[in-house]
Amino acid sequence: MTFAPSDRAARRLVITGGAGFIGSNFVRHWCDRYPTDRVVVLDALTYAGNRATLADLEAGDRLRFVQGDIGDRALVDQLLRDEQIDTIAHFAAESHVDRSILGPAAFVQTNVVGTFTLLEAFRHHWQAAEGDRDRYRFLHVSTDEVYGSLRETDPAFTETTPYAPNSPYSASKAGSDHLVRAYFHTYGMPVLTTNCSNNYGPYHFPEKLIPLMCINILLGKPLPVYGDGQNVRDWLYVRDHCTAIETVIHRGQPGETYNVGGNNEVRNLDLVKLLCGLMDELALQYGVTLPQSPSESLITFVADRPGHDRRYAIDASKIKRELGWEPSVTVEEGLRQTVAWYLQNEAWWKPLLSPAYQDYYSQVYGT
Ligand code: NAD
Ligand code: TYD
């Protein structure tokens, strides 16, 4: 579902976490779709934030970049006021389960306390607004992981599935979702929440499954599959997530939550094998010599992640029925594009393999 610029009034947005994976894809999407909107990116540039991802947009004067923490109330107040913001698209978070196991404090700080600070700032700004308050929106980007783990035969998560988060990451996201919900019920603030399944695509930080496998294949390193590799995730191409969020900002009912998914449940081991096959095929096409082939020979089973959720699956029928959104990219096509992107964009991912990243890598996978 897309909207012609003539169907809508211009918006003035703050996009938090806009230098991260999904946030940067969304910034790019929004700037392409609505070139006359005001876009301000607020990002703390943690290890996961990369300003270089937005360099072309910044150079073209398409956005204002502000380096700062969503937990900095004075900064957020000033931004909302000075920029006359009417819309927040809130992506900023600590987002990696394995890091939340190693050190949960940052997750509580950013995901819970940071989101609370943003909600409070937006509430005061919205309440003080003169004129058309109805167009204000606070879009909170959340995850399907808040619903916990499914067994093989369980039905997919719906918007009424009880929350049962299992990792410090998902627990902190659940906490933020509850706060967002409370701001609608208590203050009538026009909030919206999306709970999305696993994303993949360009600009994905190397620590997550798909970029990690692509990069390790390119470097000839082992492909670490946790446990028996039979855990299931639903995968959505990141650009489809961006159109879902765009749709919910424009047409979602304030106070509602929307599940977003790709209708693509895949077992981890099958996914990794698919990636290996695509790499072997596309490397030839792009004239890249892989250090080891076939890539599948790099697959290595490693100790399971503690508390590893077995299966996630999303029932995205509500957003389709009520707002007309559905994914447009099949997993085969999306993975092909993603593998091709990692093959062609070594200049983006190589600098991210810093000594700090190597330290993290040894903590999770051993040396
Ligand atoms: P990411 O880790 O790639 O990016 C997070 C961004 O937030 C980074 O740019 C980082 O610098 C910034 N950030 C972190 N703490 C901050 C703070 N205190 N103040 C300001 N900025 C801060 O994450 P992502 O994968 O792009 O995820 C974006 C959002 O989508 C998150 O809220 C995540 O929970 C949610 N989500 C992710 C997925 C997925 O598959 N990646 C799926 C569903 C939902
Ligand atoms: P991940 O990308 O970390 O996303 P999430 O944990 O939020 O779903 O992991 C996706 C799946 O891949 C998950 O079941 C854990 C598994 N996995 C591995 O088997 N090996 C790895 O090195 C990583 C990072 C993940």
Side-chain angles (χ1 to χ4, degrees):
M1 173 73 54
T2 53
F3 302 84
S6 56
D7 293 345
R8 60 185 284 284
R11 285 189 180 273
R12 302 183 65 86
L13 294 92
V14 166
I15 301 177
T16 73
F21 164 46
I22 309 175
S24 64
N25 277 282
F26 183 76
V27 170
R28 202 165 285 285
H29 174 78
W30 200 277
C31 288
D32 282 351
R33 291 277 301 138
Y34 306 113
T36 57
D37 278 12
R38 177 67 171 163
V39 173
V40 180
V41 172
L42 174 62
D43 196 298
L45 295 181
T46 67
Y47 79 92
N50 186 356
R51 194 165 174 177
T53 304
L54 301 173
D56 57 325
L57 296 172
E58 273 198 82
D61 243 3
R62 303 292 295 278
L63 57 88
R64 173 180 170 203
F65 185 88
V66 177
Q67 182 172 356
D69 195 313
I70 55 167
D72 181 343
R73 177 66 193 273
L75 172 67
V76 177
D77 280 344
Q78 191 188 346
L79 264 186
L80 297 181
R81 193 178 51 242
D82 291 356
E83 293 284 353
Q84 299 173 347
I85 296 300
D86 52 43
T87 304
I88 291 186
H90 176 34
F91 294 87
E94 289 293 336
S95 69
H96 190 38
V97 173
D98 291 324
R99 287 192 194 253
S100 83
I101 295 167
L102 294 172
F107 288 71
V108 174
Q109 194 56 42
T110 286
N111 300 359
V112 182
V113 181
T115 300
F116 165 70
T117 307
L118 210 56
L119 283 164
E120 270 296 90
F122 193 74
R123 175 168 77 87
H124 285 96
H125 175 67
W126 164 72
Q127 285 173 334
E130 287 159 9
D132 186 9
R133 292 203 319 171
D134 288 350
R135 46 179 284 94
Y136 280 55
R137 292 290 181 271
F138 184 111
L139 185 290
H140 174 58
V141 181
S142 192
T143 165
D144 60 356
E145 302 192 26
V146 296
Y147 298 121
S149 184
L150 294 169
R151 286 166 305 191
E152 191 100 353
T153 52
D154 286 338
F157 304 129
T158 70
E159 288 79 359
T160 56
T161 300
Y163 274 31
N166 290 320
S167 71
Y169 164 64
S170 54
S172 65
K173 291 297 289 187
S176 64
D177 292 10
H178 291 322
L179 283 168
V180 170
R181 172 189 162 87
Y183 272 67
F184 176 75
H185 285 271
T186 307
Y187 305 111
M189 199 164 101
V191 299
L192 300 145
T193 299
T194 51
N195 292 94
C196 186
S197 58
N198 287 57
N199 284 216
Y200 66 96
Y203 305 111
H204 205 174
F205 192 80
E207 68 195 354
K208 303 279 170 60
L209 178 72
I210 288 180
L212 186 140
M213 296 298 163
C214 291
I215 290 169
N216 282 13
I217 294 171
L218 289 166
L219 299 175
K221 289 177 63 179
L223 307 179
V225 173
Y226 294 156
D228 62 4
Q230 297 303 303
N231 302 64
V232 174
R233 296 292 183 266
D234 173 66
W235 292 96
L236 179 71
Y237 194 53
V238 64
R239 289 183 188 145
D240 276 333
H241 192 188
C242 294
T243 62
I245 292 170
E246 176 192 2
T247 305
V248 174
I249 287 175
H250 283 129
R251 304 192 46 203
Q253 184 67 29
E256 289 294 313
T257 68
Y258 298 91
N259 280 356
V260 180
N263 301 323
N264 282 312
E265 279 185 61
V266 190
R267 288 178 202 282
N268 290 342
L269 185 58
D270 294 339
L271 182 75
V272 174
K273 286 183 175 170
L274 208 58
L275 289 171
C276 289
L278 282 167
M279 261 303 176
D280 291 347
E281 177 195 332
L282 293 176
L284 276 179
Q285 199 174 312
Y286 287 98
V288 172
T289 307
L290 296 175
Q292 187 162 328
S293 96
S295 301
E296 259 194 55
S297 62
L298 291 166
I299 292 177
T300 310
F301 290 93
V302 300
D304 209 352
R305 171 190 278 173
H308 194 177
D309 285 340
R310 193 65 176 168
R311 172 177 165 241
Y312 303 141
I314 274 274
D315 178 341
S317 54
K318 176 178 171 181
I319 189 170
K320 181 176 179 189
R321 190 176 60 249
E322 297 186 6
L323 308 183
W325 176 88
E326 58 185 330
S328 67
V329 180
T330 62
V331 77
E332 291 75 18
E333 181 50 31
L335 289 177
R336 180 171 282 276
Q337 286 184 27
T338 304
V339 167
W341 192 88
Y342 279 93
L343 269 162
Q344 293 172 285
N345 287 279
E346 185 177 311
W348 182 84
W349 57 260
K350 202 128 203 203
L352 304 178
L353 310 180
S354 62
Y357 180 73
Q358 303 300 346
D359 276 356
Y360 157 80
Y361 200 91
S362 345
Q363 279 186 69
V364 177
Y365 303 98
T367 38

